[in-house]
Amino acid sequence: MIVEGGGHRIQDGLDARSFAVGGAWRIGSWLDAMERLSGWVPTLTIVPGVGFAGPANLAALSDCTIMVRGGSSIGMAGPRLVKAGVGEDVTAEQMGSAELQADRNGAVELACDSDGAAVTAARRYLSYLPASAAADAPLPVLPCDDPIDRRCPELRDLVPTNLRRGYDVRKVIDAVVDVGSAFELRPTNARNLVTAFARLGGRPVGIVANQPGHLAGIIDAAACRKGSRFVSICDAYGLPLVYLMDTPGFLVGMAAEESNLVRWSARFLAELGAATVPRCSVILRKGYGLAYYAMAGGRSHQAELAVAWPQAQISAMSIEGAIDVLYRHEYGAAPDPAVRRQELIDDFTSRADALRAADGFGIDDVIDPADTRAVLCDALAIAPRRRPPRNARRVRPVLPI
């Protein structure tokens, strides 16, 4: 859809005889139709200008909403109605700009620089999805001249072995997937998590990757909202999920609790648990705590493939943090506290490495980073398209949010 408007004509809606059946434009029928289409056929809405009230909700019910920077505004009501209702003097730009709805709120998937760029983005978005979610509707697999066994030796140097150093995980994604196929969604919102469509051997997949270059890749409420919605879209239309993990865990502290992260982290986990598509996880470096499960680590969600790079460290929390919690009194009483603390860190670090994880069958293998593309392509080539429902007797799960 391409929608623009400030909602229904107020004067046409002030009569219960007409409004009670769904409004002057019978917008209720449109909203109901959008819900019925959800998860069955891909839906996308471009808002090139003002989109308040009904048009905003139509856009929000779509799988993907695209705005135009400097031209679009999306919100629950226009400025004059806001002034009349709550007395605020605001402009359409202040209430619904791309900076607010795309960058800060994550209410839309993409904000483009022009109408033409929005149409181009819409075409590209839809190119990854099937015509419907029907079991016999094939994924749009494209001819691929990028060899599936192409090695990526540059990956050995892209990710620093120093756990405190950040990097841009998008470079890892670009190296692994078919050349030029990565298409990032919500790129300016919750930048500590990257969500992108891409192709592996011509087959569309969904990428979920921690971004150590922003907030060290920690998972907060905004990242959970972004990741949950993306997983649901991929699962609805049959795109396998590829998780690239490098995270110190979920955010903790007052900021986390004030953002309702308890519920949002559960939603992120629940979406992955409910998904029926194949999922693969690659631990690039850090896989800590509950976030390890949320990123499809190990056997937690019966991944079709769970592998790690040699430098991966897998643990319930960071080793240094754990030592400071558990052994502060012990190393504090030592003749040289710093030396004793480092001895403890070295000891426990040796127990958290990737080979030890593979030794206990927690992961399938420790792989050369250069082989990541080939390993993923091989796994997806033999993975079933869907898993059978785990509880076919229920109507639906009750999601945390």
Side-chain angles (χ1 to χ4, degrees):
M1 297 185 293
I2 300 176
V3 301
E4 184 169 355
H8 64 75
R9 283 168 53 89
I10 295 176
Q11 59 269 43
D12 292 341
L14 299 181
D15 186 333
R17 190 174 190 276
S18 62
F19 189 79
V21 296
W25 292 347
R26 298 184 184 269
I27 188 69
S29 298
W30 280 89
L31 298 174
D32 183 61
M34 291 298 293
E35 189 285 325
R36 286 184 285 113
L37 290 173
S38 176
W40 176 242
V41 296
T43 56
L44 180 146
T45 300
I46 298 173
V47 185
V50 168
F52 289 120
N57 272 271
L58 285 172
L61 283 167
S62 302
D63 300 332
C64 177
T65 304
I66 303 176
M67 297 181 70
V68 178
R69 291 190 182 275
S72 297
S73 294
I74 296 177
M76 295 303 296
R80 286 194 291 175
L81 184 55
V82 169
K83 174 64 175 176
V86 297
E88 292 181 358
D89 284 307
V90 290
T91 66
E93 181 72 12
Q94 287 173 322
M95 285 195 302
S97 68
E99 287 72 20
L100 175 66
Q101 302 292 27
D103 303 342
R104 286 170 52 188
N105 292 348
V108 302
E109 276 64 38
L110 293 167
C112 298
D113 292 332
S114 66
D115 291 352
V119 173
T120 298
R123 287 173 173 155
R124 188 171 185 194
Y125 177 94
L126 293 171
S127 73
Y128 294 91
L129 302 176
S132 80
D136 57 354
L139 289 174
V141 178
L142 300 182
C144 178
D145 56 8
D146 188 358
I148 61 173
D149 59 353
R150 170 174 57 82
R151 305 195 81 227
C152 314
E154 66 273 24
L155 290 177
R156 297 173 184 149
D157 300 318
L158 272 177
V159 178
T161 56
N162 183 343
L163 300 182
R164 295 183 178 276
R165 287 186 57 196
Y167 61 92
D168 189 350
V169 76
R170 292 173 298 184
K171 294 181 179 179
V172 176
I173 296 170
D174 287 338
V176 170
V177 302
D178 296 355
V179 172
S181 70
F183 181 56
E184 188 175 356
L185 300 172
R186 296 197 191 185
T188 57
N189 172 253
R191 292 183 291 121
N192 40 323
L193 189 77
V194 174
T195 53
F197 290 152
R199 284 190 166 83
L200 283 168
R203 179 182 184 179
V205 298
I207 306 287
V208 181
N210 305 118
Q211 176 57 290
H214 185 74
L215 299 179
I218 205 163
I219 303 177
D220 58 7
C224 289
R225 290 192 290 271
K226 177 178 177 177
S228 297
R229 179 168 171 79
F230 182 75
V231 169
S232 70
I233 290 172
C234 291
D235 186 47
Y237 301 114
L239 272 65
L241 292 162
V242 175
Y243 285 81
L244 301 179
M245 188 191 318
D246 188 351
T247 178
F250 283 106
L251 181 68
V252 297
M254 283 304 301
E257 306 315 326
E258 290 171 352
S259 68
N260 199 13
L261 183 56
V262 168
R263 287 282 183 170
W264 278 112
S265 60
R267 177 62 183 270
F268 194 24
L269 285 155
E271 289 291 355
L272 176 57
T276 61
V277 292
R279 71 289 311 267
C280 302
S281 70
V282 182
I283 310 167
L284 309 184
R285 201 168 56 169
K286 289 178 285 189
Y288 293 161
L290 188 63
Y292 176 76
Y293 307 134
M295 295 295 293
R299 308 273 76 84
S300 58
H301 291 282
Q302 296 81 47
E304 273 69 21
L305 176 74
V307 296
W309 288 4
Q311 67 263 38
Q313 190 178 91
I314 304 168
S315 176
M317 63 182 293
S318 73
I319 301 300
E320 292 186 3
I323 296 304
D324 289 339
V325 170
L326 293 172
Y327 296 101
R328 180 180 297 275
H329 293 299
E330 177 182 326
Y331 71 67
D336 191 331
V339 170
R340 180 55 183 154
R341 179 177 182 270
Q342 190 59 51
E343 288 174 349
L344 289 165
I345 290 172
D346 293 343
D347 179 29
F348 280 93
T349 297
S350 69
R351 308 183 198 184
D353 71 359
L355 288 174
R356 187 170 175 83
D359 180 63
F361 301 102
I363 59 174
D364 297 315
D365 202 358
V366 179
I367 65 170
D368 184 338
D371 294 328
T372 303
R373 172 180 169 81
V375 168
L376 287 170
C377 287
D378 288 346
L380 291 175
I382 61 173
R385 179 170 180 175
R386 293 275 189 185
R387 300 177 175 192
R390 293 192 293 175
N391 188 350
R393 298 169 66 180
R394 72 179 176 187
V395 175
R396 56 162 294 157
V398 179
L399 294 173
I401 292 182

